[in-house]
Each structure stands twice: as structure tokens, then as C-alpha cells.
């Protein structure tokens, strides 16, 4: 039994605008993540920085956020963490988790959330001076 291997085609820089327009039309001119219309902003031809595979067109904000999240995970997460082993599964699980909890099934509000303002309370920074002062007490 022979397996057929899909041949990959590498785009030339000059081809990017044409492919971006093609993907925009295929996506009905909306960002593949936030679903906002591209309107007056130019879409970004998103690609995997590991394999080079072109994925879709994104708005500039989503493209930047997606890259920033990846950089943050590389720097701050242990190497055996799911986000480094299977990035797509991590994002999928994160999406399911956030969707499930968007309706607050527990019915409990965290104490760091201010119910009067409807916002997270500011985080108090602990400085070295505060730590020294507490140590003296």
C-alpha cells in the first residue's frame, strides 16, 4: 500500500497579497478568530511559525494576540505543559473552559471582583519595602 504525500507549495512574497485576498473572500471578509469584518483594515495572512503552514487571514489585533500568547507560553510555561506539547489542544480546551464558565455555573463570585463597579479590584503590588516592614513586625 502506498501513501501519497501532500506536496507543499511555498508562496513567494509577491504572491502574499493575492492569497490574502483569496482567503479574505473564502472567509467572507471577516477575521477567522473574532469574526469582525476587515473593513478598512488590512487582513494578515496568518501562518504557523513552526511549520510555515498558512492558516487563515486574521485582523491585526488577533494576529498580534495569537503571537503574543505563544511567546508568553514559551517563556513562562514548563516544557511538559500541554500548551507546549499540543498547542492546538490547549487552545481548544481553553475555549471550551471559557465558554462553559461564561455563565458562572458555580454561582460564586471571587473576592477580588468588585460587584459595585462590575470590575476586577486593582492588585496591590508588594514591594521590598513592604516585605521588610512586615518582617520587622
Amino acid at each position: 500500500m502506498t501513501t501519497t504525500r501532500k506536496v507543499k507549495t511555498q508562496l513567494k512574497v509577491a504572491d502574499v497579497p493575492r492569497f490574502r485576498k483569496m482567503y479574505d473572500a473564502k472567509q467572507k471578509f471577516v477575521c477567522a478568530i473574532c469574526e469582525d469584518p476587515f473593513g478598512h483594515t488590512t487582513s494578515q495572512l496568518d501562518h504557523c511559525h513552526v511549520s510555515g503552514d498558512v492558516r487563515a487571514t486574521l485582523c491585526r489585533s488577533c494576529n498580534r494576540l495569537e503571537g503574543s500568547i505563544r511567546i508568553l507560553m514559551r517563556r513562562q510555561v514548563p516544557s511538559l505543559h500541554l500548551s507546549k506539547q499540543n498547542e492546538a489542544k490547549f487552545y481548544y480546551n481553553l475555549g471550551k473552559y471559557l465558554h462553559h464558565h461564561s455563565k458562572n455555573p458555580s454561582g460564586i463570585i471571587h473576592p477580588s471582583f468588585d460587584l459595585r463597579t462590575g470590575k476586577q479590584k486593582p492588585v496591590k503590588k508588594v514591594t521590598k519595602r513592604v516585605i521588610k516592614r512586615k518582617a520587622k513586625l
Side-chain angles (χ1 to χ4, degrees):
M1 183 168 133
T2 58
T3 56
T4 56
R5 192 178 252 178
K6 193 172 182 179
V7 178
K8 293 185 177 185
T9 304
Q10 186 164 16
L11 291 179
K12 292 180 173 46
V13 173
D15 294 332
V16 170
R18 183 170 55 88
F19 272 80
R20 189 173 61 231
K21 287 177 185 174
M22 186 175 72
Y23 274 80
D24 284 352
K26 191 159 79 169
Q27 293 170 210
K28 298 184 170 106
F29 302 94
V30 297
C31 175
I33 295 177
C34 71
E35 300 177 344
D36 279 351
F38 292 127
H40 66 281
T41 61
T42 304
S43 62
Q44 309 288 305
L45 188 60
D46 182 49
H47 67 285
C48 175
H49 285 240
V50 175
S51 66
D53 295 348
V54 171
R55 297 188 279 220
T57 50
L58 304 177
C59 68
R60 184 167 283 141
S61 296
C62 286
N63 193 39
R64 190 174 291 138
L65 280 169
E66 188 269 335
S68 297
I69 291 168
R70 177 174 290 113
I71 289 167
L72 183 66
M73 286 191 312
R74 261 192 229 130
R75 290 182 187 159
Q76 311 239 340
V77 177
S79 60
L80 295 177
H81 192 268
L82 176 63
S83 63
K84 288 193 176 173
Q85 301 301 312
N86 187 337
E87 191 175 292
K89 185 174 181 181
F90 172 79
Y91 285 134
Y92 177 75
N93 289 350
L94 177 62
K96 283 193 327 184
Y97 171 83
L98 293 173
H99 179 74
H100 173 75
H101 291 283
S102 66
K103 303 267 190 293
N104 190 9
S106 70
I108 299 168
I109 304 294
H110 195 275
S112 65
F113 187 81
D114 188 340
L115 287 170
R116 288 178 294 123
T117 64
K119 295 181 181 177
Q120 186 75 15
K121 294 176 185 174
V123 177
K124 294 178 182 174
K125 291 185 179 182
V126 179
T127 63
K128 289 180 183 178
R129 188 170 26 184
V130 171
I131 294 169
K132 285 180 184 177
R133 192 178 326 133
K134 285 184 179 182
K136 288 179 182 178
L137 300 175

